[in-house]
Amino acid sequence: MTTGKINVSVENIFPLIKKFLYSDHEIFLRELVSNATDATLKLKHLTSIGEAKVDYGNPVIEVKIDKDNKKLHIIDQGLGMTAEEVEKYINQVAFSGAEEFLEKYKDSAKDSGIIGHFGLGFYSAFMVAEKVEIITKSYKDEPAAHWTCDGSPEFTLVPHDKTERGTEIILHIAEDSLEFLEEFKIRELLTKYNKFMPVPIKFGTKKEALPKPEDAGDDYKTEYVDVDNIINNPTPTWTKQPADLNEEDYKAFYRELYPMQFEEPLFNIHLNVDYPFNLTGILYFPKLDANLQVQKDKIQLYQNQVFVTDNVEGIVPEFLVMLRGVIDSPDIPLNVSRSYLQADGNVKKISNYITRKVADKLKSLFNENREDFESKWNDIKIVLEYGMLSEPKFYEKAGDFVLYPTVDGKYYTLAELKEAISANQTDKNGKLVVLYASNKDAQHSYIEIAAAKGYEVLLLDSPIVSHLIQKLESDNENLTFTRVDSDHIDKLIQKEDTQISKLSEEESTQLKTVLEEIVPKTNYTVQLEPMDSAAAPFIITQPEFMRRMKEMSQTGGGMFGMGNFPEMYNLVVNTNSELATTILKADKSVQESLVKQALDLAKISQGLLKGEELTAFVKRSFELIK
Ligand code: ADP
Ligand code: MG
């Protein structure tokens, strides 16, 4: 028998482990199952290169609860350890690693939440156990060893009569951790952390129906047998080659990841790179809710098929955190704080790689089946528009696939859009004027007017659209965006067949004076415009600049506080309308009521007439028709 003192200077390391890791006690199981997996895969390797002359077989890892004796067993059929190796790997190396870790992070670790991402390894067992035993038999021809440690730095190491190869870890669960003797708890943890680990994990048994015998009569009752309950899928889809997978495989994996999601993903992106860093995974574009409700199903981060976290902030570019799926990379440092993570070169590369892959995939989807891509546009645009704003590398590529839909259901790329409006929509400075609507219903009458002039009107209705427009304008010198209900009418050079004013210059001046006397100056700038006689006589528009600044300050990132803008509008009066002539010719008192009524009607169609004003308008209108 060997007894000894584990080689640490910090006598009270176990209380420290417990204290610091309080929030994530549960990771002990992940660590022990990881070790069992490592031991199995190491043996696989040794047998494959002929160094271990034993039969590898079909090894399984078993997790077993012994509730009566308050014990939890983790049993593997891996390479095992000799007594000497236990000394080396358990008593020295691992422990000093733990000590070093605790020394280093004593102060910062406590409330930073980073501890759970630490592979503290074997010693994490002491977070839940008051005593731990290792019974292990090496594949080498040496006797088995039995190591016991009760949480003090003292341990014992004696021979054991175990003959089968492999290691059994026995945890004597501490009184304050008895929940880890509950079947549902262990099942939950195995499902969370080990669902895709590469060696089969057995936990309990389940009933399986026997096939119905051929000579069974009508009264045959299905017979069941107990079979091993394997908790994991050792070969998850992301570990396979994209060439060996079809759409259905990807969809099936989505359901495996998110059993509670009934909506199918729109498309997926298979990540697969091994230089300069190693990363595999599958990302899915889900159908997103317009209001982006708090997301439960997030991207999951794995390392070598071991679940680590579903907080991928800093690793996945921010605009993609709404995606779902899996990323598996052993090259992401997990034992550091998030701010450090962002500065890490490898992590930045990974993030850039993901951005590039997503852009490439979008481009190929667009090229392969544009119609299908267009049909999905509404569901993906928020992510893409946000990506254009937040990720320069994505913005560079966006021109290839980002779409600008029109109110009548056409979809342009930016280049196509410029082409389409180049003949008809320029302003006095030669800039292309992009007209857009943010709400088809609310701006209906303005869309009609623009359509009558043959203008293209985009439908841009995402909440961040004013930011995007601002960016597009600053990057495309010859482009200016104007909402369809804003003051674009004087910006656009009139087409040749433009209407000539029916009013003489003198009459126009007269009309303008009349209008300016009646219409409140503080809110409206009166503007005369010869338009089709059938077009609305009075139209209210808002200066694009002013409205956009207001919107931007409301969706964040604006430079002004909310509500700092005066409500300024343009009142555009169609000089070719019958009403214009009527007003001009009417008596002074009639003029006033005509202008007021017409102004209110224009306000109504812009959704601006409310409250007291609306009541007065309705009352006045009844008077008129009585
Ligand atoms: P790590 O897994 O990061 O090396 P651990 O503290 O988890 O650190 O484990 C320390 C060492 O103990 C392992 O590297 C391995 O050599 C040995 N070990 C732990 N568990 C087992 C096991 N089930 N079978 C064989 N060796 C093991
Ligand atoms: Mg380990």
Side-chain angles (χ1 to χ4, degrees):
M1 163 162 170
T2 312
T3 61
K5 204 158 170 192
I6 291 164
N7 180 22
V8 278
S9 45
V10 186
E11 286 277 322
N12 51 356
I13 192 154
F14 291 116
L16 275 177
I17 290 175
K18 273 202 136 138
K19 197 169 157 201
F20 282 118
L21 300 180
Y22 67 96
S23 64
D24 252 339
H25 283 181
E26 59 180 42
I27 58 125
F28 82 92
L29 189 58
R30 176 189 80 187
E31 292 302 322
L32 296 180
V33 175
S34 294
N35 285 348
T37 304
D38 288 347
T40 310
L41 295 178
K42 280 180 196 163
L43 182 70
K44 186 179 186 179
H45 180 69
L46 291 178
T47 54
S48 77
I49 61 170
E51 206 175 305
K53 304 213 172 352
V54 295
D55 183 20
Y56 178 64
N58 293 306
V60 174
I61 294 164
E62 183 175 4
V63 178
K64 215 163 63 181
I65 297 171
D66 176 357
K67 210 168 173 174
D68 295 341
N69 298 305
K70 297 185 182 167
K71 288 193 290 187
L72 185 67
H73 302 246
I74 296 101
I75 307 156
D76 69 61
Q77 296 154 20
L79 87 176
M81 285 180 276
T82 63
E84 205 181 317
E85 285 165 340
V86 173
E87 281 273 10
K88 185 171 160 199
Y89 295 128
I90 300 296
N91 292 347
Q92 290 168 25
V93 180
F95 215 148
S96 66
E99 184 203 354
E100 190 184 275
F101 152 61
L102 286 173
E103 263 313 305
K104 199 163 161 194
Y105 290 98
K106 233 182 342 211
D107 302 323
S108 65
K110 217 173 145 188
D111 45 22
S112 68
I114 61 168
I115 301 286
H117 305 135
F118 251 93
L120 186 58
F122 171 74
Y123 280 91
S124 61
F126 287 98
M127 293 191 294
V128 300
E130 57 191 20
K131 182 165 117 186
V132 178
E133 295 177 67
I134 305 173
I135 301 169
T136 179
K137 165 80 186 79
S138 167
Y139 72 96
K140 294 171 194 161
D141 190 17
E142 280 191 46
H146 185 182
W147 178 92
T148 313
C149 182
D150 66 359
S152 71
E154 325 281 329
F155 69 89
T156 61
L157 184 59
V158 295
H160 192 274
D161 57 9
K162 178 179 167 75
T163 52
E164 331 82 84
R165 176 190 71 228
T167 301
E168 175 166 3
I169 310 283
I170 304 168
L171 308 185
H172 297 256
I173 300 294
E175 283 304 318
D176 61 3
S177 301
L178 292 178
E179 57 175 322
F180 297 112
L181 291 170
E182 298 299 334
E183 191 187 320
F184 81 88
K185 185 67 192 173
I186 296 300
R187 184 187 305 279
E188 178 195 311
L189 294 186
L190 291 172
T191 310
K192 175 169 172 190
Y193 291 105
N194 310 296
K195 192 173 172 184
F196 298 116
M197 285 189 67
V199 176
I201 301 161
K202 178 190 164 180
F203 182 59
T205 56
K206 60 179 180 191
K207 300 257 180 246
E208 202 169 89
L210 282 173
K212 190 175 169 183
E214 279 186 26
D215 55 356
D218 287 345
D219 58 349
Y220 173 77
K221 275 216 190 73
T222 312
E223 280 189 55
Y224 293 90
V225 283
D226 286 333
V227 294
D228 286 355
N229 179 33
I230 300 298
I231 216 111
N232 57 331
N233 168 6
T235 52
T237 309
W238 83 81
T239 61
K240 297 176 186 169
Q241 286 302 314
D244 299 334
L245 298 165
N246 59 33
E247 276 312 300
E248 195 33 58
D249 295 324
Y250 286 111
K251 283 184 186 159
F253 182 58
Y254 187 78
R255 290 191 290 270
E256 194 178 339
L257 272 180
Y258 308 112
M260 304 311 275
Q261 271 293 335
F262 299 109
E263 190 106 57
E264 295 222 315
L266 296 167
F267 48 82
N268 61 268
I269 297 160
H270 200 138
L271 307 168
N272 198 342
V273 61
D274 45 37
Y275 185 83
F277 50 84
N278 196 297
L279 180 127
T280 50
I282 301 174
L283 296 180
Y284 292 91
F285 261 78
K287 241 185 143 120
L288 288 175
D289 247 313
N291 47 2
L292 305 177
Q293 30 148 270
V294 184
Q295 209 187 330
K296 290 192 306 291
D297 294 324
K298 300 189 200 152
I299 297 175
Q300 304 177 354
L301 179 65
Y302 288 75
Q303 286 202 342
N304 297 319
Q305 295 174 235
V306 186
F307 174 83
V308 179
T309 176
D310 59 8
N311 177 4
V312 293
E313 197 186 313
I315 297 160
V316 170
E318 198 190 337
F319 77 104
L320 294 176
V321 298
M322 288 176 272
L323 303 197
R324 305 207 172 110
V326 173
I327 287 173
D328 189 340
S329 174
D331 292 333
I332 298 172
L334 297 168
N335 48 355
V336 289
S337 70
R338 289 279 151 184
S339 55
Y340 179 86
L341 201 59
Q342 259 132 21
D344 184 90
N346 238 351
V347 172
K348 190 71 208 146
K349 275 188 216 137
I350 288 174
S351 168
N352 287 342
Y353 166 79
I354 293 172
T355 300
R356 199 176 66 235
K357 279 298 273 199
V358 169
D360 290 349
K361 177 74 182 194
L362 291 164
K363 184 178 173 179
S364 76
L365 286 168
F366 173 82
N367 289 336
E368 279 160 25
N369 188 346
R370 179 160 175 168
E371 209 179 314
D372 184 56
F373 190 77
E374 287 177 358
S375 73
K376 289 170 176 159
W377 179 252
N378 225 7
D379 294 311
I380 61 173
K381 66 183 177 196
I382 303 232
V383 174
L384 273 59
E385 286 166 355
Y386 188 46
M388 287 170 80
L389 286 172
S390 61
E391 205 62 49
K393 289 224 155 45
F394 186 76
Y395 181 76
E396 275 169 36
K397 300 194 163 228
D400 291 334
F401 51 78
V402 164
L403 293 174
Y404 300 87
T406 67
V407 285
D408 42 13
K410 272 180 286 183
Y411 289 85
Y412 291 121
T413 63
L414 190 59
E416 290 165 353
L417 175 69
K418 288 180 181 172
E419 176 65 30
I421 63 173
S422 64
N424 198 17
Q425 285 170 243
T426 45
D427 70 5
K428 349 190 211 307
N429 306 318
K431 280 196 182 192
L432 292 174
V433 180
V434 181
L435 293 180
Y436 69 98
S438 61
N439 184 323
K440 246 168 117 169
D441 293 330
Q443 292 143 17
H444 181 262
S445 58
Y446 299 89
I447 294 171
E448 294 276 281
I449 295 169
K453 296 192 177 186
Y455 296 147
E456 286 287 8
V457 179
L458 300 184
L459 181 61
L460 303 179
D461 55 5
S462 321
I464 52 172
V465 100
S466 45
H467 297 272
L468 182 64
I469 286 172
Q470 203 73 9
K471 181 153 181 64
L472 288 170
E473 281 180 346
S474 72
D475 293 340
N476 296 270
E477 268 178 26
N478 66 334
L479 216 56
T480 167
F481 282 71
T482 302
R483 206 167 86 176
V484 71
D485 57 345
S486 69
D487 55 346
H488 65 82
I489 299 170
D490 58 336
K491 269 200 195 160
L492 284 158
I493 288 176
Q494 303 288 309
K495 283 196 294 173
E496 282 172 39
D497 61 346
T498 295
Q499 307 283 328
I500 304 161
S501 182
K502 283 184 193 164
L503 302 185
S504 70
E505 209 154 303
E506 204 196 322
E507 287 172 317
S508 292
T509 321
Q510 217 183 323
L511 178 64
K512 199 161 180 189
T513 317
V514 170
L515 292 166
E516 280 175 345
E517 263 168 26
I518 304 166
V519 174
K521 265 201 190 56
T522 41
N523 300 106
Y524 294 94
T525 312
V526 175
Q527 209 178 309
L528 299 189
E529 202 71 47
M531 293 188 270
D532 191 295
S533 57
F538 277 43
I539 300 160
I540 289 170
T541 65
Q542 193 176 21
E544 171 75 10
F545 168 79
M546 211 165 269
R547 202 211 57 253
R548 204 190 295 171
M549 283 300 146
K550 208 184 307 176
E551 272 174 17
M552 287 175 68
S553 71
Q554 280 160 8
T555 49
M559 36 201 156
F560 310 101
M562 267 170 71
N564 284 340
F565 291 95
E567 297 290 338
M568 271 308 292
Y569 298 96
N570 299 324
L571 173 64
V572 183
V573 176
N574 180 0
T575 51
N576 289 346
S577 62
E578 228 171 287
L579 184 63
T581 323
T582 315
I583 292 171
L584 197 59
K585 306 228 163 105
D587 288 346
K588 211 165 166 70
S589 66
V590 180
Q591 268 178 341
E592 180 161 348
S593 65
L594 284 175
V595 172
K596 281 196 170 151
Q597 189 73 3
L599 180 63
D600 281 354
L601 283 167
K603 278 182 170 176
I604 283 185
S605 79
Q606 178 69 296
L608 290 171
L609 201 63
K610 294 184 185 108
E612 224 172 281
E613 283 187 327
L614 183 60
T615 314
F617 167 80
V618 172
K619 204 171 159 196
R620 183 149 31 86
S621 303
F622 280 128
E623 286 296 320
L624 279 171
I625 57 171
K626 139 170 118 182

